[in-house]
Amino acid sequence: MIRFSNAPSGRHFLQIPGPTNVPDRILRAIDNPTIDHRGPEFGALGRKVLADLKTVFRTSQDVVIYPASGTGAWEAALVNTLSPGDRVLMFETGHFAALWRELALRLGLEVEFVAGDWRHGVDPALVEARLAEDRRHAIRAVMVVHNETSTGVTSRVAAIRQAIDAAGHPALLMVDTISSLASIDYRHDEWGVDVTVAGSQKGLMLPPGLSFNAISKKALAGQKTARLPRSYWDWAPMLAANKTGYFPYTPATNLLYGLHEALEMLLEEGLDNVFARHDRHAEATRSAVRAWGLEILCADPAEYSSALTAIVMPAGHDADAFRKVTLEACDLSLGAGLSKLAGKVFRIGHLGSFNDLMLMGTLSGVEMGLSLAGVPHEKGGAQAAMDCLVASRRLAGDAADTRSVA
Ligand SMILES: *Cc1c(COP(=O)(O)O)cnc(C)c1O
């Protein structure tokens, strides 16, 4: 009997929605000698990455970098702006909103958590209604996950800002962009966000280990009266040291080399092109899902995520057993269903350093896996995705031709 070896040959396909594939350019940049973080070279590196990060957050206000996973930057956002017993408004969009809520509860905040079905984003009308009722302005912050990585649903942050303004409410707006920054259009200043939280290992194409806060002037001013205990996460010493490109404690120097390279790559491609690339790969993925006859978890097309797609497993089939097959047969890692979605959905990450053939490899692996695992589906999903990719290239080509004639 022929046995297929599981010894990996060729590249592993890491198509979970973070950590994402780290491009060789970034790996090469990280592979440089660690330097004196108080020496002259380091200051220039610090100043450059802090300046370029502002472009990616679309802000002219402050951005800070922590040597921490995204969870650290979640905590930083809260301890710098709030006091024990403060009330915050959150929405149950999925697993990550639930985790941020738990963190807030552990810090001693009072969380009003609006229930959700894990298939929709935050409803701006609900934000406005709840804030309009809060005449005494007891709610100090509205906390939203921009891209719910557990469900593939995106919330409309600009509309949420408008809702807060329409209610005439002074609450801070805090947004988790850990899986959307540098993948999905996001505007810290234009959308009036007070604290944006981000991480390194998703759209920024870096290994895990860095996270970020972008901070509005209003949030910074609020620091003076915020009484939650803070030390490591305190913005004040960080911002003071950052003025000259340095840090108040030892920074993750080699990850900052990687961040420097990642920012170069994103700005070379152009942020709008980066977002269009993600939109296009997400659309092609959804054409494949429809052709397979499977269901996209996100219920509202206006909220489809361009970073990942969560797909509902047909009843009676276990998503984790299917993922085990794609890993063993195709060396393809897909995202698991988290907490209440465990075994019920699988997630395809199509964010970060990614192109048409990586997407086609991924979707081919999913289609082979569906057959191997005996999951009922129609053939032709990968073909539908190819058709979608070709059609959008033709459209882009036609537009370019029109421009060169004009
Ligand atoms: C990944 C992720 C997190 C958690 O970040 P860690 O780096 O694992 O701490 C939080 N929120 C969202 C939306 C995420 O995608």
Side-chain angles (χ1 to χ4, degrees):
M1 194 179 96
I2 299 170
R3 287 187 62 89
F4 294 97
S5 165
N6 282 331
S9 170
R11 281 220 163 192
H12 173 64
F13 272 68
L14 181 67
Q15 296 317 136
I16 60 176
T20 63
N21 295 287
V22 181
D24 292 348
R25 260 179 78 173
I26 292 180
L27 291 173
R28 297 295 87 82
I30 291 170
D31 180 19
N32 271 282
T34 305
I35 55 172
D36 174 6
H37 60 283
R38 308 209 190 277
E41 259 182 286
F42 188 91
L45 170 69
R47 290 192 297 276
K48 176 83 172 119
V49 293
L50 287 164
D52 287 349
L53 267 176
K54 292 188 186 195
T55 309
V56 173
F57 281 95
R58 290 190 155 145
T59 185
S60 59
Q61 305 176 86
D62 290 309
V63 176
V64 297
I65 306 171
Y66 294 107
S69 87
T71 303
W74 261 351
E75 179 162 338
L78 305 183
V79 296
N80 279 285
T81 54
L82 299 168
S83 298
D86 273 357
R87 179 173 280 270
V88 297
L89 178 62
M90 295 191 73
F91 296 83
E92 187 198 0
T93 47
H95 178 67
F96 289 100
L99 285 182
W100 201 9
R101 167 185 180 247
E102 273 172 38
L103 189 153
L105 289 173
R106 272 186 236 119
L107 290 175
L109 298 169
E110 232 184 84
V111 183
E112 190 172 320
F113 199 52
V114 178
D117 67 357
W118 292 44
R119 301 192 75 163
H120 291 86
V122 175
D123 179 358
L126 262 179
V127 175
E128 184 177 342
R130 183 60 198 95
L131 292 182
E133 278 167 22
D134 178 36
R135 289 200 189 79
R136 292 186 306 108
H137 296 166
I139 295 169
R140 304 306 303 268
V142 178
M143 293 158 55
V144 172
V145 176
H146 181 213
N147 183 65
E148 224 338 317
T149 321
S150 60
T151 61
V153 179
T154 312
S155 285
R156 287 158 285 171
V157 177
I160 293 165
R161 171 79 262 166
Q162 285 168 7
I164 297 171
D165 293 345
H169 199 288
L172 295 168
L173 174 58
M174 303 204 205
V175 182
D176 169 347
T177 65
I178 295 176
S179 64
S180 56
L181 191 80
S183 297
I184 300 172
D185 189 16
Y186 185 78
R187 299 151 189 262
H188 177 83
D189 284 4
E190 190 185 319
W191 294 349
V193 179
D194 292 297
V195 187
T196 298
V197 176
S200 56
Q201 74 273 29
K202 299 180 187 181
L204 288 174
M205 309 177 285
L206 292 161
L210 292 180
S211 57
F212 313 91
N213 277 174
I215 307 161
S216 75
K217 298 215 159 50
K218 180 177 163 187
L220 196 57
Q223 232 210 348
K224 294 192 184 69
T225 50
R227 285 179 291 101
L228 279 176
R230 58 177 183 266
S231 167
Y232 185 77
W233 306 115
D234 196 340
W235 290 335
M238 186 66 103
L239 290 170
N242 282 176
K243 280 200 171 59
T244 48
Y246 295 91
F247 287 75
Y249 38 72
T250 315
T253 306
N254 291 57
L255 284 176
L256 295 177
Y257 297 157
L259 175 62
H260 177 263
E261 197 65 29
L263 293 166
E264 294 280 302
M265 290 174 73
L266 289 167
L267 300 178
E268 276 167 22
E269 185 175 355
L271 282 180
D272 289 330
N273 296 327
V274 170
F275 301 146
R277 169 164 60 78
H278 282 79
D279 291 344
R280 184 168 165 272
H281 287 149
E283 183 55 43
T285 302
R286 292 190 296 267
S287 337
V289 178
R290 291 186 194 106
W292 289 323
L294 298 180
E295 193 183 352
I296 297 165
L297 181 67
C298 177
D300 181 352
E303 296 178 331
Y304 281 153
S305 168
S306 287
L308 76 138
T309 302
I311 298 150
V312 181
M313 220 43 188
H317 293 268
D318 178 12
D320 292 338
F322 159 72
R323 288 190 316 106
K324 188 165 180 282
V325 169
T326 65
L327 180 61
E328 285 172 0
C330 304
D331 202 15
L332 164 65
S333 286
L334 296 168
L338 297 173
S339 56
K340 75 174 204 184
L341 294 174
K344 296 197 170 81
V345 307
F346 67 94
R347 298 173 296 147
I348 301 176
H350 34 71
L351 74 165
S353 174
F354 204 52
N355 64 26
D356 287 13
L357 293 190
M358 291 166 86
L359 177 66
M360 289 319 307
T362 302
L363 295 175
S364 301
V366 171
E367 192 157 334
M368 286 192 276
L370 290 170
S371 294
L372 288 168
V375 178
H377 68 287
E378 305 293 325
K379 300 277 171 225
Q383 182 64 54
M386 280 195 278
D387 294 345
C388 178
L389 292 174
V390 168
S392 65
R393 277 257 178 254
R394 287 222 177 96
L395 271 178
D398 291 349
D401 289 348
T402 318
R403 273 202 302 281
S404 62
V405 170

